[in-house]
Amino acid sequence: MARVIQQLATALFLCFAANAIGEQEQVEYRLGMGDEVQVTVFGHQDLSGEFAISETGTISLPLVGTVTLGGLTLRKAEAAVIDALKPDYLVNPRVAVEVLNYRPFYIIGEVQSPGAYPYVNGMTVTEAVALGGGFTHRAKKQNMRIIRGWDQAKEERTVAATDMVLPGDVIKVLERFF
């Protein structure tokens, strides 16, 4: 009996760990239009600089030209810049990409001041609602919805007050019907 309980506990732990890893990957930040990034090519100041990601998801690097960063995580963005530099310009480039300014997030629905707000790293849904002036008296305070900024399908998901907000997200506070 103790062995069965131990196996069940192990299986539950593995399921929880898999779900936590999957959620972490899902929430990992992806670059998008309006983000400002610092690209550093170590040892090559002339190839480094600050760049704004365009509406097409690209930046224009000196010598290299257009590099697509929109929709990529920071690690993948670094790899994209390395791939652009490697064949013709540098033998073994070392690159770092960091976000200088995030694009805003949006909050709509039953909040005092719906609109666009500057993103603050580590922000939760509750903190986003606070930036929007708090709930109205008609607000449904549970089961708020979010559309992730990087989600091409623009699928609405139900979120808890403690869930993380990312730049470009649209938070929808619904109206209660009683």
Side-chain angles (χ1 to χ4, degrees):
M1 181 69 157
R3 178 176 248 195
V4 171
I5 292 173
Q6 184 178 11
Q7 288 174 340
L8 283 173
T10 302
L12 283 173
F13 173 77
L14 291 175
C15 286
F16 175 75
N19 285 338
I21 290 169
E23 182 66 22
Q24 184 178 5
E25 288 175 11
Q26 187 178 27
V27 176
E28 188 172 6
Y29 183 67
R30 295 175 186 273
L31 296 169
M33 178 185 77
D35 286 334
E36 293 179 19
V37 295
Q38 169 73 42
V39 176
T40 304
V41 181
F42 295 101
H44 297 277
Q45 195 69 9
D46 54 334
L47 297 174
S48 301
E50 297 178 5
F51 304 93
I53 298 178
S54 72
E55 61 277 351
T56 59
T58 61
I59 62 170
S60 183
L61 285 176
L63 296 176
V64 176
T66 303
V67 178
T68 300
L69 299 184
L72 301 179
T73 63
L74 290 176
R75 275 195 194 152
K76 289 183 180 179
E78 289 170 354
V81 173
I82 288 170
D83 289 344
L85 291 170
K86 218 173 193 177
D88 298 324
Y89 302 103
L90 299 174
V91 176
N92 191 18
R94 292 180 305 138
V95 173
V97 176
E98 63 180 308
V99 180
L100 297 175
N101 289 315
Y102 293 99
R103 62 191 181 275
F105 73 93
Y106 306 89
I107 187 160
I108 59 174
E110 296 300 320
V111 291
Q112 298 294 332
S113 300
Y117 290 92
Y119 174 75
V120 177
N121 207 7
M123 181 184 305
T124 64
V125 172
T126 299
E127 294 163 337
V129 169
L131 280 176
F135 294 112
T136 65
H137 69 281
R138 293 183 306 269
K140 185 177 182 181
K141 297 177 183 174
Q142 297 83 22
N143 300 326
M144 291 170 276
R145 307 291 175 114
I146 196 165
I147 300 171
R148 292 289 181 197
W150 49 264
D151 185 6
Q152 298 295 334
K154 302 297 181 202
E155 178 184 328
E156 281 189 17
R157 303 160 195 227
T158 302
V159 292
T162 57
D163 285 352
M164 299 300 290
V165 175
L166 296 174
D169 285 354
V170 178
I171 302 165
K172 189 185 288 187
V173 179
L174 303 174
E175 181 179 6
R176 60 185 161 99
F177 294 107
F178 58 88

mmCIF file of all heavy atoms in Angstrom, residues 80-117:
data_model
loop_
_atom_site.group_PDB
_atom_site.id
_atom_site.type_symbol
_atom_site.label_atom_id
_atom_site.label_comp_id
_atom_site.label_asym_id
_atom_site.label_seq_id
_atom_site.Cartn_x
_atom_site.Cartn_y
_atom_site.Cartn_z
ATOM 1 N N ALA A 80 19.384 34.562 -33.946
ATOM 2 C CA ALA A 80 19.065 35.137 -35.261
ATOM 3 C C ALA A 80 20.113 36.169 -35.671
ATOM 4 O O ALA A 80 20.530 36.211 -36.840
ATOM 5 C CB ALA A 80 17.673 35.769 -35.232
ATOM 6 N N VAL A 81 20.564 36.984 -34.723
ATOM 7 C CA VAL A 81 21.603 37.972 -35.032
ATOM 8 C C VAL A 81 22.919 37.266 -35.330
ATOM 9 O O VAL A 81 23.628 37.629 -36.279
ATOM 10 C CB VAL A 81 21.757 38.993 -33.877
ATOM 11 C CG1 VAL A 81 22.942 39.912 -34.122
ATOM 12 C CG2 VAL A 81 20.479 39.803 -33.705
ATOM 13 N N ILE A 82 23.244 36.243 -34.570
ATOM 14 C CA ILE A 82 24.467 35.467 -34.829
ATOM 15 C C ILE A 82 24.420 34.857 -36.223
ATOM 16 O O ILE A 82 25.393 34.933 -36.981
ATOM 17 C CB ILE A 82 24.667 34.377 -33.750
ATOM 18 C CG1 ILE A 82 25.070 35.019 -32.425
ATOM 19 C CG2 ILE A 82 25.701 33.343 -34.187
ATOM 20 C CD1 ILE A 82 25.061 34.074 -31.235
ATOM 21 N N ASP A 83 23.274 34.264 -36.591
ATOM 22 C CA ASP A 83 23.136 33.660 -37.927
ATOM 23 C C ASP A 83 23.293 34.702 -39.034
ATOM 24 O O ASP A 83 23.848 34.408 -40.092
ATOM 25 C CB ASP A 83 21.793 32.963 -38.061
ATOM 26 C CG ASP A 83 21.708 31.689 -37.234
ATOM 27 O OD1 ASP A 83 22.766 31.183 -36.800
ATOM 28 O OD2 ASP A 83 20.572 31.206 -37.014
ATOM 29 N N ALA A 84 22.803 35.925 -38.786
ATOM 30 C CA ALA A 84 22.927 36.973 -39.798
ATOM 31 C C ALA A 84 24.373 37.437 -39.951
ATOM 32 O O ALA A 84 24.809 37.796 -41.045
ATOM 33 C CB ALA A 84 22.036 38.158 -39.423
ATOM 34 N N LEU A 85 25.123 37.417 -38.858
ATOM 35 C CA LEU A 85 26.515 37.880 -38.894
ATOM 36 C C LEU A 85 27.496 36.806 -39.340
ATOM 37 O O LEU A 85 28.520 37.111 -39.953
ATOM 38 C CB LEU A 85 26.931 38.373 -37.498
ATOM 39 C CG LEU A 85 26.278 39.651 -36.992
ATOM 40 C CD1 LEU A 85 26.598 39.854 -35.518
ATOM 41 C CD2 LEU A 85 26.756 40.840 -37.813
ATOM 42 N N LYS A 86 27.216 35.561 -38.997
ATOM 43 C CA LYS A 86 28.177 34.478 -39.136
ATOM 44 C C LYS A 86 28.662 34.216 -40.566
ATOM 45 O O LYS A 86 29.866 34.138 -40.773
ATOM 46 C CB LYS A 86 27.585 33.195 -38.551
ATOM 47 C CG LYS A 86 28.577 32.368 -37.826
ATOM 48 C CD LYS A 86 27.889 31.224 -37.136
ATOM 49 C CE LYS A 86 28.825 30.579 -36.156
ATOM 50 N NZ LYS A 86 28.220 29.523 -35.417
ATOM 51 N N PRO A 87 27.815 34.070 -41.518
ATOM 52 C CA PRO A 87 28.379 33.603 -42.793
ATOM 53 C C PRO A 87 29.307 34.592 -43.487
ATOM 54 O O PRO A 87 30.340 34.207 -44.001
ATOM 55 C CB PRO A 87 27.152 33.323 -43.653
ATOM 56 C CG PRO A 87 26.023 34.035 -43.013
ATOM 57 C CD PRO A 87 26.387 34.238 -41.580
ATOM 58 N N ASP A 88 28.979 35.893 -43.453
ATOM 59 C CA ASP A 88 29.738 36.828 -44.275
ATOM 60 C C ASP A 88 30.550 37.855 -43.504
ATOM 61 O O ASP A 88 31.469 38.441 -44.058
ATOM 62 C CB ASP A 88 28.789 37.584 -45.213
ATOM 63 C CG ASP A 88 28.088 36.636 -46.177
ATOM 64 O OD1 ASP A 88 28.723 35.661 -46.612
ATOM 65 O OD2 ASP A 88 26.902 36.872 -46.471
ATOM 66 N N TYR A 89 30.213 38.099 -42.236
ATOM 67 C CA TYR A 89 30.821 39.221 -41.543
ATOM 68 C C TYR A 89 31.771 38.832 -40.419
ATOM 69 O O TYR A 89 32.831 39.421 -40.291
ATOM 70 C CB TYR A 89 29.729 40.162 -41.014
ATOM 71 C CG TYR A 89 28.851 40.660 -42.123
ATOM 72 C CD1 TYR A 89 27.584 40.134 -42.318
ATOM 73 C CD2 TYR A 89 29.303 41.624 -43.010
ATOM 74 C CE1 TYR A 89 26.789 40.576 -43.357
ATOM 75 C CE2 TYR A 89 28.521 42.064 -44.055
ATOM 76 C CZ TYR A 89 27.245 41.537 -44.223
ATOM 77 O OH TYR A 89 26.483 41.965 -45.261
ATOM 78 N N LEU A 90 31.373 37.888 -39.572
ATOM 79 C CA LEU A 90 32.211 37.493 -38.443
ATOM 80 C C LEU A 90 32.319 35.975 -38.372
ATOM 81 O O LEU A 90 31.374 35.261 -38.698
ATOM 82 C CB LEU A 90 31.620 38.019 -37.127
ATOM 83 C CG LEU A 90 31.497 39.536 -36.990
ATOM 84 C CD1 LEU A 90 30.768 39.895 -35.712
ATOM 85 C CD2 LEU A 90 32.862 40.198 -37.041
ATOM 86 N N VAL A 91 33.465 35.488 -37.926
ATOM 87 C CA VAL A 91 33.693 34.047 -37.837
ATOM 88 C C VAL A 91 32.954 33.442 -36.650
ATOM 89 O O VAL A 91 32.237 32.456 -36.794
ATOM 90 C CB VAL A 91 35.208 33.742 -37.736
ATOM 91 C CG1 VAL A 91 35.443 32.251 -37.554
ATOM 92 C CG2 VAL A 91 35.930 34.253 -38.964
ATOM 93 N N ASN A 92 33.110 34.015 -35.472
ATOM 94 C CA ASN A 92 32.483 33.471 -34.270
ATOM 95 C C ASN A 92 31.895 34.617 -33.436
ATOM 96 O O ASN A 92 32.434 34.969 -32.392
ATOM 97 C CB ASN A 92 33.505 32.674 -33.456
ATOM 98 C CG ASN A 92 32.858 31.886 -32.355
ATOM 99 O OD1 ASN A 92 31.649 31.650 -32.363
ATOM 100 N ND2 ASN A 92 33.651 31.479 -31.382
ATOM 101 N N PRO A 93 30.779 35.197 -33.901
ATOM 102 C CA PRO A 93 30.239 36.354 -33.185
ATOM 103 C C PRO A 93 29.650 35.978 -31.833
ATOM 104 O O PRO A 93 29.066 34.910 -31.666
ATOM 105 C CB PRO A 93 29.150 36.867 -34.128
ATOM 106 C CG PRO A 93 28.773 35.695 -34.952
ATOM 107 C CD PRO A 93 29.997 34.835 -35.062
ATOM 108 N N ARG A 94 29.842 36.857 -30.861
ATOM 109 C CA ARG A 94 29.197 36.727 -29.546
ATOM 110 C C ARG A 94 28.235 37.892 -29.426
ATOM 111 O O ARG A 94 28.643 39.052 -29.548
ATOM 112 C CB ARG A 94 30.233 36.730 -28.432
ATOM 113 C CG ARG A 94 31.105 35.471 -28.463
ATOM 114 C CD ARG A 94 32.145 35.456 -27.366
ATOM 115 N NE ARG A 94 32.949 36.675 -27.430
ATOM 116 C CZ ARG A 94 33.317 37.376 -26.365
ATOM 117 N NH1 ARG A 94 32.979 36.994 -25.164
ATOM 118 N NH2 ARG A 94 34.035 38.472 -26.493
ATOM 119 N N VAL A 95 26.972 37.554 -29.190
ATOM 120 C CA VAL A 95 25.909 38.556 -29.240
ATOM 121 C C VAL A 95 25.052 38.475 -27.989
ATOM 122 O O VAL A 95 24.779 37.387 -27.486
ATOM 123 C CB VAL A 95 25.017 38.334 -30.491
ATOM 124 C CG1 VAL A 95 23.815 39.245 -30.490
ATOM 125 C CG2 VAL A 95 25.833 38.515 -31.761
ATOM 126 N N ALA A 96 24.614 39.649 -27.521
ATOM 127 C CA ALA A 96 23.637 39.728 -26.436
ATOM 128 C C ALA A 96 22.512 40.655 -26.888
ATOM 129 O O ALA A 96 22.768 41.694 -27.504
ATOM 130 C CB ALA A 96 24.272 40.267 -25.162
ATOM 131 N N VAL A 97 21.276 40.249 -26.596
ATOM 132 C CA VAL A 97 20.104 41.075 -26.888
ATOM 133 C C VAL A 97 19.360 41.273 -25.580
ATOM 134 O O VAL A 97 19.072 40.305 -24.875
ATOM 135 C CB VAL A 97 19.180 40.404 -27.932
ATOM 136 C CG1 VAL A 97 17.920 41.229 -28.137
ATOM 137 C CG2 VAL A 97 19.905 40.197 -29.252
ATOM 138 N N GLU A 98 19.082 42.535 -25.253
ATOM 139 C CA GLU A 98 18.305 42.816 -24.049
ATOM 140 C C GLU A 98 17.234 43.853 -24.389
ATOM 141 O O GLU A 98 17.409 44.682 -25.278
ATOM 142 C CB GLU A 98 19.185 43.287 -22.902
ATOM 143 C CG GLU A 98 19.898 44.590 -23.149
ATOM 144 C CD GLU A 98 20.755 45.020 -21.967
ATOM 145 O OE1 GLU A 98 20.237 45.072 -20.845
ATOM 146 O OE2 GLU A 98 21.932 45.302 -22.196
ATOM 147 N N VAL A 99 16.138 43.789 -23.654
ATOM 148 C CA VAL A 99 15.034 44.718 -23.874
ATOM 149 C C VAL A 99 15.291 45.982 -23.066
ATOM 150 O O VAL A 99 15.511 45.922 -21.859
ATOM 151 C CB VAL A 99 13.686 44.090 -23.460
ATOM 152 C CG1 VAL A 99 12.549 45.072 -23.686
ATOM 153 C CG2 VAL A 99 13.433 42.803 -24.221
ATOM 154 N N LEU A 100 15.258 47.124 -23.744
ATOM 155 C CA LEU A 100 15.405 48.414 -23.071
ATOM 156 C C LEU A 100 14.047 48.964 -22.638
ATOM 157 O O LEU A 100 13.889 49.435 -21.529
ATOM 158 C CB LEU A 100 16.096 49.423 -23.990
ATOM 159 C CG LEU A 100 17.521 49.099 -24.406
ATOM 160 C CD1 LEU A 100 18.030 50.123 -25.409
ATOM 161 C CD2 LEU A 100 18.428 49.050 -23.192
ATOM 162 N N ASN A 101 13.078 48.920 -23.543
ATOM 163 C CA ASN A 101 11.723 49.392 -23.273
ATOM 164 C C ASN A 101 10.732 48.391 -23.846
ATOM 165 O O ASN A 101 10.810 48.053 -25.033
ATOM 166 C CB ASN A 101 11.463 50.767 -23.898
ATOM 167 C CG ASN A 101 12.218 51.856 -23.188
ATOM 168 O OD1 ASN A 101 12.237 51.909 -21.968
ATOM 169 N ND2 ASN A 101 12.854 52.731 -23.957
ATOM 170 N N TYR A 102 9.813 47.940 -22.996
ATOM 171 C CA TYR A 102 8.788 47.004 -23.424
ATOM 172 C C TYR A 102 7.615 47.739 -24.059
ATOM 173 O O TYR A 102 7.324 48.884 -23.699
ATOM 174 C CB TYR A 102 8.252 46.221 -22.219
ATOM 175 C CG TYR A 102 9.257 45.294 -21.591
ATOM 176 C CD1 TYR A 102 9.960 45.672 -20.452
ATOM 177 C CD2 TYR A 102 9.489 44.032 -22.126
ATOM 178 C CE1 TYR A 102 10.870 44.815 -19.863
ATOM 179 C CE2 TYR A 102 10.401 43.172 -21.537
ATOM 180 C CZ TYR A 102 11.088 43.569 -20.403
ATOM 181 O OH TYR A 102 11.986 42.718 -19.824
ATOM 182 N N ARG A 103 6.903 47.073 -24.948
ATOM 183 C CA ARG A 103 5.675 47.638 -25.485
ATOM 184 C C ARG A 103 4.603 47.624 -24.391
ATOM 185 O O ARG A 103 4.713 46.873 -23.435
ATOM 186 C CB ARG A 103 5.231 46.863 -26.725
ATOM 187 C CG ARG A 103 4.896 45.401 -26.491
ATOM 188 C CD ARG A 103 4.737 44.684 -27.842
ATOM 189 N NE ARG A 103 4.401 43.288 -27.701
ATOM 190 C CZ ARG A 103 5.271 42.310 -27.528
ATOM 191 N NH1 ARG A 103 6.558 42.581 -27.454
ATOM 192 N NH2 ARG A 103 4.877 41.066 -27.421
ATOM 193 N N PRO A 104 3.565 48.430 -24.524
ATOM 194 C CA PRO A 104 2.564 48.508 -23.456
ATOM 195 C C PRO A 104 1.662 47.271 -23.423
ATOM 196 O O PRO A 104 1.631 46.474 -24.357
ATOM 197 C CB PRO A 104 1.750 49.749 -23.833
ATOM 198 C CG PRO A 104 1.907 49.862 -25.306
ATOM 199 C CD PRO A 104 3.276 49.331 -25.621
ATOM 200 N N PHE A 105 0.909 47.148 -22.325
ATOM 201 C CA PHE A 105 -0.168 46.166 -22.253
ATOM 202 C C PHE A 105 -1.469 46.962 -22.230
ATOM 203 O O PHE A 105 -1.462 48.190 -22.050
ATOM 204 C CB PHE A 105 -0.042 45.268 -21.011
ATOM 205 C CG PHE A 105 -0.398 45.952 -19.736
ATOM 206 C CD1 PHE A 105 -1.688 45.889 -19.231
ATOM 207 C CD2 PHE A 105 0.540 46.691 -19.039
ATOM 208 C CE1 PHE A 105 -2.024 46.540 -18.059
ATOM 209 C CE2 PHE A 105 0.221 47.342 -17.868
ATOM 210 C CZ PHE A 105 -1.066 47.271 -17.380
ATOM 211 N N TYR A 106 -2.572 46.293 -22.447
ATOM 212 C CA TYR A 106 -3.869 46.957 -22.547
ATOM 213 C C TYR A 106 -4.841 46.318 -21.571
ATOM 214 O O TYR A 106 -4.808 45.105 -21.367
ATOM 215 C CB TYR A 106 -4.417 46.832 -23.974
ATOM 216 C CG TYR A 106 -3.429 47.328 -24.997
ATOM 217 C CD1 TYR A 106 -2.479 46.468 -25.544
ATOM 218 C CD2 TYR A 106 -3.406 48.653 -25.387
ATOM 219 C CE1 TYR A 106 -1.545 46.916 -26.457
ATOM 220 C CE2 TYR A 106 -2.475 49.118 -26.308
ATOM 221 C CZ TYR A 106 -1.553 48.245 -26.836
ATOM 222 O OH TYR A 106 -0.618 48.695 -27.733
ATOM 223 N N ILE A 107 -5.704 47.146 -20.988
ATOM 224 C CA ILE A 107 -6.734 46.628 -20.106
ATOM 225 C C ILE A 107 -8.057 47.265 -20.528
ATOM 226 O O ILE A 107 -8.134 48.487 -20.704
ATOM 227 C CB ILE A 107 -6.407 46.847 -18.616
ATOM 228 C CG1 ILE A 107 -7.428 46.147 -17.743
ATOM 229 C CG2 ILE A 107 -6.255 48.303 -18.276
ATOM 230 C CD1 ILE A 107 -6.955 45.897 -16.323
ATOM 231 N N ILE A 108 -9.066 46.408 -20.734
ATOM 232 C CA ILE A 108 -10.367 46.877 -21.196
ATOM 233 C C ILE A 108 -11.465 46.265 -20.335
ATOM 234 O O ILE A 108 -11.220 45.348 -19.566
ATOM 235 C CB ILE A 108 -10.595 46.513 -22.687
ATOM 236 C CG1 ILE A 108 -10.527 45.000 -22.898
ATOM 237 C CG2 ILE A 108 -9.603 47.231 -23.582
ATOM 238 C CD1 ILE A 108 -10.873 44.545 -24.309
ATOM 239 N N GLY A 109 -12.639 46.804 -20.476
ATOM 240 C CA GLY A 109 -13.779 46.265 -19.746
ATOM 241 C C GLY A 109 -14.067 47.056 -18.495
ATOM 242 O O GLY A 109 -13.939 48.285 -18.462
ATOM 243 N N GLU A 110 -14.433 46.357 -17.443
ATOM 244 C CA GLU A 110 -14.937 46.961 -16.212
ATOM 245 C C GLU A 110 -13.827 47.398 -15.256
ATOM 246 O O GLU A 110 -13.682 46.891 -14.150
ATOM 247 C CB GLU A 110 -15.909 46.000 -15.524
ATOM 248 C CG GLU A 110 -17.157 45.721 -16.331
ATOM 249 C CD GLU A 110 -17.967 46.982 -16.610
ATOM 250 O OE1 GLU A 110 -18.092 47.828 -15.706
ATOM 251 O OE2 GLU A 110 -18.471 47.113 -17.747
ATOM 252 N N VAL A 111 -13.013 48.354 -15.733
ATOM 253 C CA VAL A 111 -12.035 49.030 -14.887
ATOM 254 C C VAL A 111 -12.292 50.532 -15.004
ATOM 255 O O VAL A 111 -12.909 50.983 -15.971
ATOM 256 C CB VAL A 111 -10.567 48.697 -15.268
ATOM 257 C CG1 VAL A 111 -10.229 47.268 -14.952
ATOM 258 C CG2 VAL A 111 -10.291 49.005 -16.718
ATOM 259 N N GLN A 112 -11.833 51.288 -14.033
ATOM 260 C CA GLN A 112 -12.110 52.726 -14.001
ATOM 261 C C GLN A 112 -11.529 53.470 -15.204
ATOM 262 O O GLN A 112 -12.164 54.363 -15.744
ATOM 263 C CB GLN A 112 -11.565 53.342 -12.703
ATOM 264 C CG GLN A 112 -12.181 52.791 -11.440
ATOM 265 C CD GLN A 112 -13.649 53.135 -11.303
ATOM 266 O OE1 GLN A 112 -14.138 54.136 -11.793
ATOM 267 N NE2 GLN A 112 -14.371 52.258 -10.612
ATOM 268 N N SER A 113 -10.319 53.106 -15.621
ATOM 269 C CA SER A 113 -9.652 53.817 -16.723
ATOM 270 C C SER A 113 -9.046 52.817 -17.707
ATOM 271 O O SER A 113 -7.843 52.543 -17.678
ATOM 272 C CB SER A 113 -8.543 54.718 -16.179
ATOM 273 O OG SER A 113 -9.067 55.671 -15.302
ATOM 274 N N PRO A 114 -9.873 52.240 -18.595
ATOM 275 C CA PRO A 114 -9.322 51.306 -19.579
ATOM 276 C C PRO A 114 -8.350 52.019 -20.524
ATOM 277 O O PRO A 114 -8.460 53.223 -20.735
ATOM 278 C CB PRO A 114 -10.553 50.801 -20.330
ATOM 279 C CG PRO A 114 -11.677 51.678 -19.950
ATOM 280 C CD PRO A 114 -11.291 52.462 -18.749
ATOM 281 N N GLY A 115 -7.406 51.264 -21.047
ATOM 282 C CA GLY A 115 -6.465 51.854 -21.995
ATOM 283 C C GLY A 115 -5.149 51.128 -22.019
ATOM 284 O O GLY A 115 -5.010 50.015 -21.517
ATOM 285 N N ALA A 116 -4.144 51.778 -22.607
ATOM 286 C CA ALA A 116 -2.788 51.238 -22.709
ATOM 287 C C ALA A 116 -1.959 51.762 -21.551
ATOM 288 O O ALA A 116 -2.057 52.934 -21.188
ATOM 289 C CB ALA A 116 -2.158 51.650 -24.026
ATOM 290 N N TYR A 117 -1.136 50.874 -20.981
ATOM 291 C CA TYR A 117 -0.292 51.241 -19.849
ATOM 292 C C TYR A 117 1.103 50.684 -20.060
ATOM 293 O O TYR A 117 1.272 49.609 -20.640
ATOM 294 C CB TYR A 117 -0.877 50.699 -18.542
ATOM 295 C CG TYR A 117 -2.143 51.398 -18.150
ATOM 296 C CD1 TYR A 117 -3.376 50.911 -18.547
ATOM 297 C CD2 TYR A 117 -2.096 52.578 -17.413
ATOM 298 C CE1 TYR A 117 -4.550 51.570 -18.211
ATOM 299 C CE2 TYR A 117 -3.261 53.243 -17.062
ATOM 300 C CZ TYR A 117 -4.483 52.737 -17.475
ATOM 301 O OH TYR A 117 -5.633 53.400 -17.142
#
